Amino acid sequence: MNTVRLTMAQALVRYLTAQKVEIDGQIKPLFAGVFAIFGHGNVAGLGEALYHQQAALPTYRAHNEQAMAHAAIAYAKANNRQQIMACTTSIGPGATNMVTAAALAHVNRIPVLLLPGDTFAARTPDPVLQQVECASDPTISANDCFRPVSRYFDRISRPEQLITSLPAAISTLVDAELAGPVTLSLPQDVQAEAYDYPESFFAETVHYQRQQAPDTRELAAAIEALKNAKKPLLIAGGGVHYAQAIEPLKALIESYGIPVAETQAGKGALAWDHPNYVGAIGVTGCDAANKLAEEADLVLAVGTRLQDFTTASRTLFRNPDVTLIQLNVARMDAIKHNAKALVCDAKIGLEQLKSGLSGWQVPAEWQALGKAEIARWNGYYDQVTSIAEAPKTETGLPSDAQVLGSVKRTGEASDIIVCAAGGLPGDLHKLWRTEQPNGYHLEYGFSCMGYEIAGGLGVKMAKPDREVIVVVGDGSYLMMNSEIATTVMLNKKVIIVVLDNRGFGCINRLQRGTGGASFNNLLDEGTFTETGAPKIDFAAHAKALGAESESVSSLEALEEALGRARAASQSYVIAIDTDPYLTAEGGSWWEVGVPEVSERETVTQAYREQQIAKQKQPY
C-alpha cells in the first residue's frame, strides 16, 4: 500500500479538496472554500495546511466567528445544499462563538463543516489559555457545547482517526435526511502530528444526491386519500427546493388543480402570480392560504416540519375530517402531527403521486375559492405597499410593508431578498412577491438576529450574478454588522436596507399583544440618561466599514436611493426611519406563555383569550 506522510491538518485539507459533487451534469468541488479566523489552536496547524491549498480550497477571512458560519450556512442554502463550506476557529471564544450558528444550521437542516481548534490532547501544558476545565471530567472542553447542535461530532485525538471520521462526516453533510452541521474538534497538538496515510484515502470522490423512492404501501395510501379529497391543500416547504422538485410540483398541481401555500423555507417554489398559488401560510401567512387551510379536508405537506408558525400552534387545520400527509425524506418529520407518512425524496414522491392520480380532479368550486381569496389578498397588497401621502401609522413614519413595496418596485425579478428575525419576516412572508426560485432567502427556523448581513454575504458568494438585497431592522444590525467590511474586502456587493424603528419593535408588539406594557424593547423605554437613547447614524457607521451609504427620510427618497445602490459597484447601505407599531394584516394565532396570574388586568384578559384559543388544539 502506498502511503504519504502528512500532518493531520494537511490530510484533512487534502481530503476536503478531493470531495466533488455532480450538479447539472458538471463535476464541481463539494467544498467551495473555508472561512477562517485564526488564533492559537488553529493557526499553526490548520492555517499552515490551508496556505498550501489556496488554489483548490480558497480561504476567506471574516470578522466574527458566528457571522462567518452564518455566511457559510447561507451559501449552502442558496445552493440548495449541493455545495457547502467549512469554518475554522481558535479554541475558547472563537469556537463557542460558532455554537449559535451550529444551532441555526441544525434547526434549518443546512450542511456546514465546523472545525474549531481545541486544547492539547496530550494535556502536558494544561490549563492553556482559554481552556474551559471540568473538575470531574478532563476530556471535556468548550467544544463539547457543539454536541447537542451537531448532526455529527468527533474529537480527533489521533491523526489516523481521520481515516474513519472524515467519511462519516462527509456522509452526514451530503445526506438529504441527516444534513446539518458537522463538528470536528481539532486539538492543536494533533493537528501538527504526522502519520503515513494511504494515498487511496485522497482519491477523488464524487457525491450524488441520493433519491429515496416511496414505500409502495405509503404511496398507495396517499393516492387513495387524495382521490377521496374534495378540498385538498398542498403546503410547499424547503424540501421542495433542496430536492430540485419545483418542476414536479408544478406538474402535479397544474394537472389536478391543487392549491399551493408556502412556508418561509418553501417560498419561491411557485411564482406569486401562478394560478394555483394561494400565498404564505400560518402565523406569518396571508388570509387566503389560512382560510383554505382551515377548510381543507386533506393537507399534503411536502418537505416541511410543520413547526408552530406554520400550523398556528396546531390550530390551523380545523376541518374535523382533515387528513394530513407528510411527504418528507426525514422519517422524524414525516410522522409529526400523527400524519400519514410518505417517506421519500420530494421529486420522486411528487412524480409518482402525479402518475397515480390519473383521472382525478380537484372540484372546480375549491379551485375557484383559492383564486378568489388570493385575488382579495392581492388587492390588499396593493393598498398596504403603496406610497401614501401620509403613512397611516401611529408615528407618521412609513410601515415595513411600505418599505418592502418600494424595494420591490425598484427591483428586478432575479433579485434575492435576505432577512431573518424580528417583524420583517412576517411582512415578507405575506407580501414579498417572489418570481424566480431562490429569490427569497429567509432564516426563520431559528429566527436568529444577526444572520441578515452575514447571510447576504453567503448568498452573494453563491449567486454572484444576482442582486442581493438585505432588509434588516436596527436591532439586528446592531447585533452583528461586521461582515459589511467583509463584503467590501471580498468584493461581494450587497444592498442593505436598514429599517430603524428605534428598538425591538416586533417583540414590543408581542409584549403589548399579550397584555403587557411596553417595557425594555423600544430604545426610548430603555434609557437611563436624561438625554435619552442616542439616534444612531447607520449610514455613517456603514461608511466607516467601507460601504457606500446614505440616510433617507421618505419612501420616494428611498426608491431613488435604491436606484443609486443598484448602480454602485460595492456594498451600499440605506437607512430609513420606520414605524414600530404597525404590521400587515393576516396571520393566525400563536401560542406563547402568558402569565396565569398578574396584577395587570390586560394580562389576565390575554390569558383568558389564550385558554379559549387553546381549545382548538387537538390535545
Side-chain angles (χ1 to χ4, degrees):
M1 179 178 67
N2 294 328
T3 62
V4 55
R5 191 162 184 80
L6 300 168
T7 67
M8 181 269 272
Q10 292 165 350
L12 170 61
V13 172
R14 183 175 293 194
Y15 187 88
L16 296 185
T17 61
Q19 307 308 301
K20 309 294 181 181
V21 63
E22 181 179 328
I23 302 175
D24 297 330
Q26 293 184 309
I27 305 300
K28 297 182 178 182
L30 175 63
F31 289 92
V34 178
F35 272 108
I37 294 181
F38 291 132
H40 83 98
N42 71 336
V43 67
L46 194 54
E48 167 68 7
L50 288 168
Y51 174 82
H52 295 285
Q53 292 288 340
Q54 294 179 69
L57 188 65
T59 298
Y60 302 104
R61 184 198 175 287
H63 290 85
N64 176 282
E65 291 90 353
Q66 183 187 148
M68 74 181 187
H70 286 332
I73 293 163
Y75 179 90
K77 178 180 171 69
N79 276 306
N80 291 329
R81 307 196 304 189
Q82 293 179 292
Q83 282 186 292
I84 57 182
M85 284 189 167
C87 299
T88 180
T89 70
S90 63
I91 69 173
T96 55
N97 275 351
M98 287 201 302
V99 173
T100 295
L104 182 150
H106 194 290
V107 167
N108 290 292
R109 310 325 201 239
I110 306 296
V112 61
L113 177 60
L114 305 176
L115 304 170
D118 208 335
T119 54
F120 287 82
R123 302 184 191 166
T124 304
D126 287 5
V128 300
L129 179 68
Q130 300 178 339
Q131 181 171 353
V132 174
E133 296 182 274
C134 177
S136 62
D137 188 348
T139 67
I140 288 177
S141 79
N143 286 352
D144 287 277
C145 295
F146 286 99
R147 289 182 183 272
V149 291
S150 296
R151 291 284 185 156
Y152 178 88
F153 177 93
D154 196 7
R155 178 173 282 112
I156 308 300
S157 57
R158 291 182 59 86
E160 61 267 36
Q161 288 175 351
L162 283 181
I163 297 173
T164 54
S165 187
L166 274 175
I170 300 300
S171 175
T172 302
L173 289 166
V174 300
D175 187 277
E177 179 178 5
L178 300 177
V182 165
T183 302
L184 297 181
S185 178
L186 307 177
Q188 58 178 306
D189 53 342
V190 183
Q191 289 180 43
E193 292 177 10
Y195 181 77
D196 294 321
Y197 290 92
E199 286 189 348
S200 59
F201 183 59
F202 305 107
E204 181 177 294
T205 302
V206 180
H207 300 274
Y208 306 90
Q209 189 172 20
R210 187 178 291 117
Q211 295 177 311
Q212 179 180 350
D215 175 80
T216 54
R217 288 164 296 186
E218 289 183 354
L219 179 64
I223 290 171
E224 181 66 19
L226 276 162
K227 284 186 172 181
N228 289 327
K230 299 293 189 288
K231 298 180 177 182
L233 176 67
L234 189 149
I235 301 175
V240 173
H241 294 283
Y242 303 145
Q244 311 290 299
I246 289 177
E247 291 308 315
L249 173 70
K250 289 181 181 178
L252 172 69
I253 62 159
E254 290 170 359
S255 295
Y256 303 112
I258 306 172
V260 177
E262 293 177 324
T263 69
Q264 287 276 14
K267 195 170 172 70
L270 289 184
W272 71 273
D273 56 354
H274 189 282
N276 295 65
Y277 181 66
V278 295
I281 193 167
V283 176
T284 55
C286 70
D287 292 342
N290 286 344
K291 179 175 176 57
L292 266 67
E294 291 174 3
E295 296 186 21
D297 61 2
L298 183 141
V299 175
L300 172 60
V302 182
T304 171
R305 296 178 297 141
L306 289 183
Q307 53 113 296
D308 64 340
F309 256 60
T310 305
T311 66
S313 299
R314 302 196 180 193
T315 64
L316 190 56
F317 309 138
R318 299 181 186 176
N319 189 322
D321 300 319
V322 66
T323 297
L324 175 61
I325 301 172
Q326 284 266 50
L327 191 164
N328 205 297
V329 73
R331 295 177 186 275
M332 69 173 290
D333 292 330
I335 63 171
K336 285 187 170 81
H337 304 277
N338 298 315
K340 291 181 181 293
L342 183 56
V343 181
C344 62
D345 171 81
K347 182 177 182 180
I348 292 179
L350 291 169
E351 289 172 344
Q352 294 197 12
L353 284 175
K354 179 179 180 296
S355 297
L357 288 170
S358 179
W360 173 72
Q361 189 68 210
V362 172
E365 313 86 74
W366 184 244
Q367 295 184 54
L369 177 63
K371 289 178 170 58
E373 290 298 326
I374 196 65
R376 273 192 284 273
W377 179 259
N378 287 335
Y380 171 72
Y381 169 92
D382 292 337
Q383 298 172 19
V384 76
T385 61
S386 68
I387 298 181
E389 292 184 7
K392 297 178 181 178
T393 60
E394 192 170 325
T395 60
L397 294 170
S399 66
D400 290 357
Q402 289 176 305
V403 171
L404 296 179
S406 290
V407 174
K408 187 63 183 177
R409 279 189 293 273
T410 57
E412 302 288 342
S414 58
D415 290 348
I416 303 175
I417 196 80
V418 179
C419 191
L424 279 167
D427 281 359
L428 279 163
H429 193 204
K430 295 177 230 181
L431 301 172
W432 189 258
R433 289 180 163 178
T434 307
E435 294 157 288
Q436 294 184 6
N438 299 115
Y440 185 85
H441 186 108
L442 264 282
E443 190 295 295
Y444 209 55
F446 206 50
S447 187
C448 184
M449 295 178 71
Y451 175 90
E452 297 90 339
I453 294 171
L457 167 63
V459 173
K460 188 65 175 183
M461 295 176 78
K463 305 292 182 183
D465 297 329
R466 296 175 69 172
E467 198 77 76
V468 175
I469 303 173
V470 175
V471 288
V472 58
D474 56 304
S476 277
Y477 181 101
L478 290 172
M479 280 195 178
M480 192 172 297
N481 51 62
S482 57
E483 301 326 299
I484 291 176
T486 309
T487 68
V488 176
M489 183 172 67
L490 298 182
N491 195 28
K492 301 298 180 184
K493 175 206 168 184
V494 296
I495 297 173
I496 302 167
V497 181
V498 183
L499 288 75
D500 184 2
N501 63 16
R502 299 279 294 164
F504 303 142
C506 173
I507 296 302
N508 182 66
R509 290 194 295 271
L510 178 60
Q511 188 174 53
R512 300 205 309 182
T514 53
S518 293
F519 170 62
N520 199 47
N521 281 314
L522 300 183
L523 287 177
D524 293 334
E525 298 161 355
T527 180
F528 288 82
T529 68
E530 293 182 0
T531 57
K535 172 59 177 171
I536 298 164
D537 190 338
F538 291 101
H541 179 267
K543 187 173 184 179
L545 293 178
E548 295 185 43
S549 61
E550 60 180 294
S551 295
V552 297
S553 58
S554 69
L555 293 166
E556 292 84 357
L558 172 63
E559 296 190 10
E560 293 172 1
L562 284 164
R564 291 187 288 272
R566 299 185 77 90
S569 59
Q570 67 184 51
S571 291
Y572 204 106
V573 177
I574 306 168
I576 182 171
D577 290 346
T578 56
D579 180 78
Y581 302 111
L582 184 65
T583 188
E585 294 178 6
S588 56
W589 180 73
W590 182 45
E591 183 173 4
V592 294
V594 181
E596 186 173 355
V597 178
S598 172
E599 296 178 1
R600 189 184 299 277
E601 173 56 31
T602 51
V603 173
T604 303
Q605 177 60 29
Y607 176 78
R608 287 194 290 264
E609 292 172 357
Q610 182 201 53
Q611 296 310 298
I612 294 171
K614 280 181 65 63
Q615 294 176 14
K616 298 175 183 176
Q617 292 175 320
Y619 50 84

